[in-house]
């Protein structure tokens, strides 16, 4: 009996395992193997076993720097904007309006990010917001093709992904806890800091991870709003594969990016777990 | 061709009708040869509109990989209406990118537009195959100017037919410039000073590195490491002063965000036509002269449609309409005969001989040289 049950278990795990192997492990393995290779004479990949590609990563430092600075900055900015919005939606708005407002948050997702980024090109371009500011006598501002434009674009593009997880965690919040705190004389800021914020941490964690991971691989927005000047690792990768045709170096960069992300995500999860544990201790006292 | 006015025999008419139905001749040819075109024009009756699938049998789509602002969309509409095959256009910014897509396999293209210096590489990498001239009745090798057509043949086999030729110069907003631009030295010097934040360079190693090489008087095609190091140093020095690195530079020039850009002939013409303040010139210190071609990649999914599209686009009347729309010069004398004289005497399109002689055709080695690729990549991620 025990044997067959175990067999069934493996059998049931089969499809998921195959899926995992074919769509995640296999492509990553190919990239890993390529990363130890060389650029073929006319471009592409030539088999080799060398660490030369990894040794050369320093020449792409600017791309890593931009990614590792702008992606967390974008995530933080999105969080700071999304939290009040989610709070408002989950706590302050009547049920009837809530649906309407939630739909409004989703609506931008119905349009391709490409088209919405194009709109920003016009808004940030010389005839858009800078013209308006100049007419108001606020000086000659250059917005398009700057790191600011890229940051604005990524916050704008990924905001809904941050709003929803936080919204969900706030919506589930047990209102009786707040009432109890209030009865015991806790002022609003204290209720927020000790009840609302800790209980919405899972939403914050999910949202931040979702946004951060996607941002680290971002390509389109830096390309469009950065004018090819504000380079992310994603842009460097596209360049290495499509222009330089240096697949080996591109693979080494991709492996480095994936590895860095794994480390960051693991550390972040561990950090959150520690906060969670600490909070439980406080709760027990 | 036949004398259109001579009456056609019954047997000949049936032969032509069958050829037309098989798709081996165009509707225009059929109507002309049989005299029906004249008859229809007189009577005003739209006779003989063929059922699409039956007449051509080339499928319902054809994928074209080409450059920005390089076609008249109306011609694609006409092609689709006549053959039933809709043209799907993919736009690229550099030959490197096209090569990479083909090298990776499964590009899905039926026709693409490589530049002269890339074709030997495509042949050696076994990515394109010789053209079947029987499927391109509108191609006439004798009508093309040799220097713009010769790169299409490799070891005596025709792999690509010429599309347009042109130069890579610079376009600028004359209301912002104190003096006209005459050299690549001017281009980079002013970018570091008066035009800081207003200049664009191509997202394309050939022209961007090539022009930077010209700043120092090196060859446009140099792969010498020391000379490339000069170019890289200059490019990284001007990078903070650039408005953008892009091959799609018209929007920013037209709306005034950028004042100066590296620019291909026809696009310079397009901007100058619409906004006369935008001027175009070649560097007297040299730069690029080029010729683009139509070619069919191996494993093109819609091969018949690919031939039909190329054959259609090189039809002199269609090609002339293309040239009027995009403004790039054509090397085909049959097309030039159809163009208005003011186009043929336009100094943007047909620069003075001494300026033209200072320009270089790209060399095959610049496409495949790993150092040039690396210089460009380092410049962009600097």
């Amino acid at each position: 009996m025990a044997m067959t049950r175990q067999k069934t278990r493996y059998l049931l795990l089969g499809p998921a395992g195959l899926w995992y192997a074919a769509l995640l492990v296999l492509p990553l393995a190919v990239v890993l193997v390529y990363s130890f290779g060389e650029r073929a004479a006319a471009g592409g990949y030539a088999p080799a076993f060398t660490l030369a590609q990894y040794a050369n990563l320093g020449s792409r430092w600017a791309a890593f720097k931009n990614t590792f600075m702008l992606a967390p900055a974008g995530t933080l900015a999105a969080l700071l904007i999304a939290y009040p919005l989610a709070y408002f939606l989950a706590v302050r708005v009547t049920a009837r309006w809530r649906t309407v407002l939630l739909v409004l948050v989703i609506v931008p997702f119905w349009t391709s990010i490409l088209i919405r980024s194009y709109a920003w090109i016009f808004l940030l371009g010389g005839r858009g917001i800078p013209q308006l500011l100049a007419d108001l006598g606020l000086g000659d501002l250059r917005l398009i093709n700057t790191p600011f434009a890229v940051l604005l674009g990524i916050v704008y593009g990924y905001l809904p992904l941050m709003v929803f997880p936080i919204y969900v965690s706030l919506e589930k919040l047990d209102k009786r806890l707040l009432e109890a705190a209030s009865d015991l004389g806790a002022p609003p800021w204290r209720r927020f800091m000790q009840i609302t914020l800790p209980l919405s941490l899972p939403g914050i964690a999910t949202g931040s991870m979702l946004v951060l991971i996607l941002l680290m691989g971002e390509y389109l927005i830096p390309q469009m709003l950065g004018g090819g000047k504000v380079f992310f690792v994603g842009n460097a990768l596209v360049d290495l594969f499509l222009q330089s045709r240096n697949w080996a170096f591109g693979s080494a960069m991709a492996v480095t990016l994936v590895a860095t992300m794994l480390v960051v995500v693991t550390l972040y999860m561990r950090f959150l777990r520690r906060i969670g544990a600490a909070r439980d201790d406080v709760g027990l006292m | 061709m036949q004398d259109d006015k001579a009456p056609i025999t019954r047997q000949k008419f049936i032969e032509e009708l069958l050829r037309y139905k098989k798709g081996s001749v165009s509707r225009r040819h059929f109507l002309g040869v049989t005299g029906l075109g004249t008859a229809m024009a007189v009577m005003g009756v739209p006779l003989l509109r063929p059922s699409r699938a039956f007449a051509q049998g080339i499928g319902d789509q054809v994928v074209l990989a080409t450059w920005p602002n390089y076609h008249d969309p109306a011609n694609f509409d006409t092609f689709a209406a006549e053959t039933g095959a809709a043209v799907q256009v993919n736009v690229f910014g550099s030959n490197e990118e096209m090569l990479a897509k083909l090298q990776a396999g499964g590009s899905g293209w039926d026709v693409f537009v490589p530049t002269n210096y890339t074709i030997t590489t495509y042949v050696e990498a076994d990515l394109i195959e010789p053209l079947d001239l029987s499927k391109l009745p509108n191609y006439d090798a004798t009508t093309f100017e040799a220097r713009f057509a010769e790169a299409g043949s490799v070891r005596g086999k025709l792999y690509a037919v010429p599309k347009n030729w042109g130069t890579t110069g610079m376009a600028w907003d004359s209301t912002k410039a104190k003096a006209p631009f005459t050299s690549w030295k001017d281009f980079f010097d002013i970018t570091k000073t008066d035009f800081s934040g207003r200049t664009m360079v191509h997202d394309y190693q050939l022209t961007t590195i090539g022009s930077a090489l010209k700043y120092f008087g090196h060859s446009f095609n140099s792969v010498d490491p020391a000379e490339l190091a000069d170019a890289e140093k200059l490019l990284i020095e001007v990078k903070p002063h650039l408005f953008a690195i892009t091959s799609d530079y018209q929007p920013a020039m037209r709306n005034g965000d950028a004042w100066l850009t590296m620019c291909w002939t026809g696009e310079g013409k397009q901007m100058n036509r619409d906004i006369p303040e935008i001027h175009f010139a070649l560097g007297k210190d040299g730069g690029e002269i080029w010729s683009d071609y139509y070619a069919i990649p191996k494993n093109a999914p819609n091969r018949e449609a690919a031939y039909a599209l190329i054959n259609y686009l090189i039809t002199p009347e269609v090609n002339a309409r293309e040239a009027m729309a995009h403004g790039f010069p054509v090397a085909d004398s049959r097309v030039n005969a159809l163009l208005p004289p003011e186009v043929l005497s336009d100094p943007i399109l047909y620069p003075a001989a001494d300026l033209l002689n200072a320009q270089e055709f790209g060399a095959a080695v610049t496409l495949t040289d790993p150092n040039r690729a690396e210089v460009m990549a380092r410049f962009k991620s600097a």
Side-chain angles (χ1 to χ4, degrees):
Chain A
M1 274 303 280
M3 272 308 285
T4 43
R5 188 179 292 168
Q6 200 157 13
K7 244 183 218 167
T8 322
R9 193 178 295 163
Y10 282 129
L11 225 67
L12 286 173
L13 273 176
L18 271 179
W19 173 275
Y20 181 75
L23 296 182
L24 187 73
V25 178
L26 204 64
L28 276 179
V30 171
V31 173
L32 190 66
V33 169
Y34 272 29
S35 72
F36 296 112
E38 286 171 347
R39 182 188 195 266
Y45 163 75
F49 190 79
T50 167
L51 290 172
Q53 311 304 337
Y54 287 96
N56 194 20
L57 282 176
S59 67
R60 296 299 185 280
W61 170 237
F64 281 108
K65 195 183 72 183
N66 281 336
T67 305
F68 293 147
M69 281 171 64
L70 287 176
T75 309
L76 188 67
L79 176 62
L80 292 178
I81 298 169
Y83 198 94
L85 181 60
Y87 184 83
F88 180 75
L89 284 171
V91 180
R92 290 297 165 93
V93 172
T94 59
R96 197 157 60 93
W97 279 103
R98 187 173 299 157
T99 319
V100 178
L101 291 173
L102 278 173
V103 168
L104 286 180
V105 176
I106 304 173
V107 162
F109 262 14
W110 294 351
T111 314
S112 154
I113 185 71
L114 186 74
I115 294 166
R116 288 185 283 139
S117 299
Y118 250 114
W120 277 112
I121 291 182
F122 292 108
L123 279 172
L124 298 175
R127 299 251 171 106
I129 295 168
Q131 176 85 60
L132 194 72
L133 292 176
D135 290 347
L136 293 171
L138 294 173
D140 176 22
L141 207 63
R142 213 74 62 73
L143 292 178
I144 190 75
N145 299 350
T146 60
F148 169 78
V150 174
L151 194 62
L152 182 78
I154 58 186
V155 170
Y156 166 80
Y158 288 99
L159 196 60
L161 287 181
M162 186 70 93
V163 171
F164 282 110
I166 300 177
Y167 167 79
V168 168
S169 68
L170 283 172
E171 204 206 11
K172 283 188 305 197
L173 192 98
D174 190 343
K175 299 269 165 34
R176 288 173 305 180
L177 291 174
L178 292 170
E179 283 166 21
S182 181
D183 289 347
L184 293 171
W189 65 266
R190 191 148 184 192
R191 279 180 305 203
F192 177 77
M193 289 306 287
Q194 287 200 315
I195 297 168
T196 312
L197 186 63
L199 287 177
S200 60
L201 262 185
I204 294 177
T206 315
S208 309
M209 271 297 96
L210 213 57
V211 171
L212 182 70
I213 290 171
L214 288 173
L215 279 191
M216 300 250 281
E218 180 59 39
Y219 155 75
L220 183 76
I221 296 169
Q223 181 67 32
M224 292 183 73
L225 299 178
K229 285 172 65 195
V230 184
F231 240 52
F232 274 36
V233 175
N235 303 86
L237 284 176
V238 170
D239 240 40
L240 280 169
F241 280 97
L242 290 187
Q243 301 272 359
S244 314
R245 303 188 310 290
N246 192 343
W247 295 4
F249 190 27
S251 299
M253 241 183 128
V255 168
T256 310
L257 180 67
V258 170
T260 315
M261 276 160 74
L262 281 178
V263 171
V264 169
V265 170
T266 312
L267 287 178
Y268 185 72
M269 287 306 181
R270 193 168 289 174
F271 168 71
L272 282 178
R273 210 168 299 146
R274 191 168 301 163
I275 291 188
R279 206 185 64 228
D280 282 349
D281 295 346
V282 174
L284 280 174
M285 295 199 305
Chain B
M1 285 290 272
Q2 298 197 343
D3 178 4
D4 287 356
K5 292 187 191 78
I8 189 166
T9 65
R10 198 175 297 172
Q11 195 193 355
K12 188 85 186 132
F13 179 85
I14 295 299
E15 274 173 23
E16 285 295 334
L17 181 65
L18 288 176
R19 284 178 69 196
Y20 173 54
K21 284 191 165 180
K22 275 188 298 189
S24 60
V25 299
S26 70
R27 180 162 174 265
R28 182 190 299 273
H29 174 85
F30 173 71
L31 294 177
V33 169
T34 56
L36 278 173
T38 327
M40 275 161 48
V42 173
M43 300 190 293
V45 184
L47 280 175
L48 271 162
R49 186 146 297 167
S51 85
R52 288 168 175 176
F54 187 60
Q56 306 274 350
I58 62 169
D60 60 3
Q61 75 156 350
V62 52
V63 182
L64 169 68
T66 185
W67 306 99
N69 311 305
Y70 211 14
H71 294 275
D72 180 357
N75 282 331
F76 293 146
D77 294 342
T78 312
F79 179 77
E82 283 184 8
T83 66
V87 185
Q88 188 196 317
V89 179
N90 294 355
V91 173
F92 284 80
S94 72
N95 278 292
E96 282 76 2
E97 218 178 318
M98 282 188 178
L99 173 60
K101 282 268 157 115
L102 284 180
Q103 269 180 332
S107 66
W109 305 340
D110 301 306
V111 180
F112 74 117
V113 183
T115 304
N116 51 296
Y117 69 104
T118 67
I119 292 170
T120 50
T121 305
Y122 283 118
V123 173
E124 273 153 26
D126 200 25
L127 293 169
I128 54 175
E129 58 189 84
L131 293 175
D132 179 355
L133 275 178
S134 73
K135 292 179 178 170
L136 296 174
N138 290 332
Y139 177 66
D140 181 353
T142 62
T143 61
F144 284 93
E145 203 180 318
R147 65 172 161 165
F148 301 126
E150 60 197 10
S153 299
V154 180
R155 287 187 291 277
K157 280 191 193 154
L158 185 76
Y159 286 89
V161 293
K163 171 170 162 39
N164 294 95
W165 67 276
T167 54
T168 310
M170 43 205 124
W172 68 92
D173 181 340
S174 61
T175 63
K176 308 289 184 194
K178 290 197 188 93
F181 289 78
T182 57
S183 69
W184 291 106
K185 188 151 190 340
D186 292 348
F187 182 96
F188 286 108
D189 282 341
I190 203 160
T191 296
K192 287 188 269 185
T193 54
D194 293 2
F195 274 33
S196 181
R198 300 294 188 177
T199 301
M200 292 183 285
V201 298
H202 288 169
D203 185 0
Y204 183 21
Q205 65 88 0
L206 179 81
T207 47
T208 293
I209 297 179
S211 313
L213 285 163
K214 285 276 100 175
Y215 182 94
F216 300 98
H218 304 320
S219 162
F220 182 84
N221 284 304
S222 174
V223 290
D224 179 275
E227 294 179 357
L228 284 178
D230 287 343
E232 181 179 348
K233 190 165 163 284
L234 173 68
L235 288 173
I236 288 176
E237 195 182 311
V238 297
K239 189 177 177 188
H241 301 284
L242 293 177
F243 174 74
I245 303 166
T246 177
S247 300
D248 192 15
Y249 42 82
Q250 285 206 35
M253 284 299 288
R254 286 173 183 265
N255 75 21
D257 275 343
W259 298 343
L260 171 66
T261 183
M262 285 183 188
C263 183
W264 289 299
T265 320
E267 300 213 45
K269 184 66 209 163
Q270 290 166 27
M271 290 191 282
N272 177 259
R273 180 181 61 202
D274 301 338
I275 306 169
E277 291 76 31
I278 297 183
H279 291 198
F280 174 91
L282 294 180
K284 64 173 190 292
D285 41 1
E288 188 199 14
I289 182 171
W290 49 263
S291 181
D292 282 342
Y293 293 77
Y294 289 114
I296 300 179
K298 280 210 163 170
N299 312 319
N302 307 295
R303 180 163 309 252
E304 292 306 312
Y307 277 106
L309 180 65
I310 296 178
N311 193 47
Y312 171 77
L313 288 172
I314 59 173
T315 311
E317 293 80 10
V318 177
N319 207 346
R321 288 203 299 270
E322 290 273 297
M324 290 305 288
H326 60 54
F328 286 93
V330 184
D332 185 345
S333 59
R334 295 173 300 172
V335 177
N336 287 337
L338 298 172
L339 293 175
E342 64 267 24
V343 169
L344 298 173
S345 60
D346 190 308
I348 293 183
L349 304 183
Y350 301 90
D354 57 329
L355 269 174
L356 212 51
N357 290 338
Q359 316 295 314
E360 293 169 70
F361 275 102
V365 67
T366 62
L367 178 75
T368 49
D369 182 59
N371 290 328
R372 279 187 76 119
E374 183 61 13
V375 166
M376 188 66 186
R378 277 204 300 263
F379 158 57
K380 286 181 66 182
S381 59

